[in-house]
Amino acid sequence: MSAGRGRRAAHARRAPPPPRFCAPLPSFPRFCYTALMNSIQQRAYAKLNLTLGVRCKRADGYHELDMLMQQIDLCDTLTVSRATDVAVTGSGMLLPFDNSIRAAANYYRALTGRGAHIHVAKRIPAEAGLAGGSADAAATLLALDRLYGEVGRASLFDIALKIGADVPFCLQGGLCRAEGVGERLTPLRGMPLHVVVAKPVQGVSTGALFRALKLPRQMPDTAGAMRAIAAGDLPALAGCLFNALEEPAIALVPEIGALKARLLAEGALSACMTGSGSAVFGLFETRADAEAAASRMADLHFVCAAESI
């Protein structure tokens, strides 16, 4: 787990979890020395979809999903400083004025009156299906909670869901089964996973992909993937990787299929698109295998070796 989450203080107060979650949520740290901190750093971790299934389109226009989501150590880094207003700057990637970090900080300020000046060093690529924006929003909320300690975890999750469907998972972290639009989370015990993440130049618009989606679609064996992880059976997990959005995404961005084939040629046990794309990941037996494959794929627009956290 990340150092950014810290250890739970022995005197931390625990509020009951909101009813929509299927398991207890993490107790966020309430440090006794928060008043002494003026600036802190917080990592924002990317996620992978080990499975992604689309059950149906709901009456509200959203899609009912069933996913197995895993946080990995690919991350952005946020520096968050106390302030009365909200200001956001970035490096490593062009950051639009209206972004998930600003949204999270504004929601927190509306609730508490506390502002922040936030700088994000971006590494997670955009339009990749890696939840980069959602991870940044979640990291903002975690950092503000560390700085000020004035909002309970239930309120943080309420804010998270207002920002985006993946933000609650990015707050929870680890490995979860995510249902609904992604807000119904069942935390699970994970296993060490070593992956190579690659992305073509062109991204995929999540909205455009879902608008063009035709149902019904094949569903993944999410229960089988959960059993494989519980047993520590990497080959069995490799056989369960599946994303129902992959085929329509390849129709929009054919390079996704080419990247998947290359990962398999480089020795991946299995390869799959994550989220709505366009990033693809390959599952490898060891960290060394993943790093070696990533080095051979250094000609790509984006590639990195990563592991589960």
Side-chain angles (χ1 to χ4, degrees):
M1 300 298 290
S2 71
R5 293 188 187 169
R7 294 182 180 275
R8 295 182 176 89
H11 57 282
R13 292 179 298 168
R14 300 188 178 186
R20 67 170 174 269
F21 292 95
C22 303
L25 304 174
S27 295
F28 301 124
R30 292 290 190 273
F31 296 101
C32 59
Y33 51 87
T34 51
L36 303 179
M37 296 190 296
N38 289 317
S39 182
I40 59 172
Q41 285 195 335
Q42 183 77 41
R43 292 178 179 175
Y45 291 102
K47 62 83 179 169
L48 298 177
N49 291 90
L50 303 179
T51 67
L52 191 158
V54 183
R55 287 173 171 160
C56 63
K57 187 173 182 178
R58 307 190 323 186
D60 61 7
Y62 289 96
H63 288 77
E64 188 81 12
L65 306 175
D66 185 13
M67 307 175 287
L68 197 57
M69 301 170 75
Q70 173 69 64
Q71 214 167 37
I72 57 173
D73 61 1
L74 168 64
C75 67
D76 298 338
T77 303
L78 279 67
T79 302
V80 182
S81 304
R82 289 172 178 262
T84 56
D85 61 341
V86 171
V88 180
T89 58
S91 59
M93 191 180 300
L94 184 63
L95 197 67
F97 180 83
D98 292 321
N99 56 71
S100 62
I101 297 171
R102 187 180 302 279
N106 281 335
Y107 275 121
Y108 192 92
R109 186 169 182 260
L111 193 62
T112 66
R114 304 288 194 176
H117 290 178
I118 305 166
H119 180 85
V120 57
K122 290 290 297 179
R123 187 165 176 242
I124 305 171
E127 291 193 326
L130 294 166
S134 296
D136 291 342
T140 298
L141 294 175
L142 288 169
L144 291 170
D145 195 51
R146 289 174 60 199
L147 273 179
Y148 297 120
E150 295 184 2
V151 176
R153 61 183 180 180
S155 294
L156 289 181
F157 275 89
D158 288 340
I159 294 173
L161 189 56
K162 293 177 182 178
I163 301 168
D166 285 341
V167 183
F169 167 76
C170 292
L171 269 181
Q172 177 72 45
L175 173 71
C176 289
R177 186 174 193 169
E179 299 171 275
V181 296
E183 85 285 7
R184 297 202 307 270
L185 301 173
T186 305
L188 303 166
R189 186 181 298 277
M191 64 180 288
L193 300 178
H194 307 286
V195 298
V196 171
V197 181
K199 180 189 177 292
V201 174
Q202 186 177 352
V204 174
S205 166
T206 301
L209 181 61
F210 274 100
R211 283 192 296 272
L213 190 65
K214 291 181 174 59
L215 298 176
R217 304 203 66 81
Q218 180 182 344
M219 290 292 292
D221 184 8
T222 297
M226 292 166 60
R227 289 192 297 270
I229 291 172
D233 190 337
L234 190 63
L237 174 61
C240 292
L241 298 187
F242 180 80
N243 186 335
L245 301 179
E246 185 178 290
E247 183 181 0
I250 290 174
L252 297 173
V253 183
E255 291 83 358
I256 294 171
L259 280 183
K260 183 176 178 180
R262 182 157 179 194
L263 284 163
L264 293 171
E266 292 291 351
L269 298 176
S270 184
C272 187
M273 188 181 79
T274 180
S276 57
S278 60
V280 179
F281 68 96
L283 188 62
F284 289 80
E285 288 189 2
T286 67
R287 177 80 184 197
D289 289 343
E291 289 176 344
S295 68
R296 294 191 296 269
M297 301 173 69
D299 58 296
L300 297 176
H301 170 69
F302 176 88
V303 66
C304 75
E307 59 186 24
S308 58
I309 57 172

